Amino acid sequence: MSTDRTRPAGRRDQGGPRSVPPQRSRRQQPHRPQRPHQWFAERLLAVLSGQRPVHWMLGHTIGEAYDQLAELAPSTPLGSTRGSRPVLRHCRGAQPATGVVEAFASIAAGDRVRAMAFRLEQGPDHRWRCAAVELGGERLTAGAPGPR
C-alpha cells in the first residue's frame, strides 16, 4: 500500500499533482475611470444621434453650447445610417491650458465615418463642461442646418 497521500489510488506515475496556472482576468489593470473627453464624447454622440434627449446635457454645457445642441438635436446629424447605430471609434484629447481640454472623436455608423471635435472647460467647482462642438469641419451654430 502506498504512503503517498497526494496520489490517487492506482496511479503509478511518479509525478505529483500538476500545477495549473491561475486563470488570468481580461483586465490586467484596475479599472480606471473614463477621462472627461471620453465621457463627453459618449454623451454628445447619444444626443446628436437621437438616442438621448438634449436636456440630458443640462448642467454639462456652458455658454451657447447647450443652445446649439438644442437647435441641432432634432435633426440628429449623427443619426443611424441604414439601421447601423453610431458608435464611438476613437477619442483623443489635448490640454492646451490648465482647465481646458480640446478633443476629437471619430464616429462610425455602418460604412460611414464622421468626425466630431469639442472643447471642455473646467469650472471653479472642478466640473468639466462642454463649451463648443464641431462636426465634420462645420461649426455647429444655432440656426444653421446640421450636415446630413
Side-chain angles (χ1 to χ4, degrees):
M1 181 149 199
S2 174
T3 59
D4 186 359
R5 295 184 187 224
T6 61
R7 198 172 13 203
R11 185 170 171 181
R12 293 187 179 8
D13 64 338
Q14 296 300 316
R18 294 184 185 173
S19 64
V20 177
Q23 291 289 333
R24 288 187 161 185
S25 78
R26 290 180 185 237
R27 189 177 293 164
Q28 295 294 326
Q29 300 171 347
H31 178 67
R32 291 187 336 191
Q34 283 186 323
R35 294 183 175 164
H37 59 277
Q38 294 166 327
W39 186 83
F40 270 92
E42 291 284 351
R43 288 182 89 84
L44 289 169
L45 172 61
V47 169
L48 294 173
S49 65
Q51 298 171 33
R52 290 287 189 164
V54 72
H55 69 264
W56 198 47
M57 292 297 290
L58 259 176
H60 298 294
T61 56
I62 57 174
E64 294 181 18
Y66 182 80
D67 295 333
Q68 292 171 352
L69 288 172
E71 283 276 332
L72 293 164
S75 68
T76 61
L78 295 177
S80 299
T81 305
R82 297 182 197 103
S84 298
R85 182 177 175 183
V87 294
L88 185 66
R89 287 180 49 184
H90 301 285
C91 183
R92 302 282 187 266
Q95 194 167 8
T98 303
V100 175
V101 172
E102 292 181 347
F104 65 93
S106 63
I107 292 125
D111 58 352
R112 189 174 181 190
V113 178
R114 300 284 305 269
M116 177 173 65
F118 54 98
R119 178 182 175 97
L120 303 177
E121 295 178 4
Q122 193 173 33
D125 59 355
H126 300 287
R127 291 182 56 200
W128 291 96
R129 291 178 179 87
C130 184
V133 180
E134 293 184 21
L135 283 179
E138 296 181 30
R139 185 168 177 87
L140 298 181
T141 58
R148 275 290 216 205

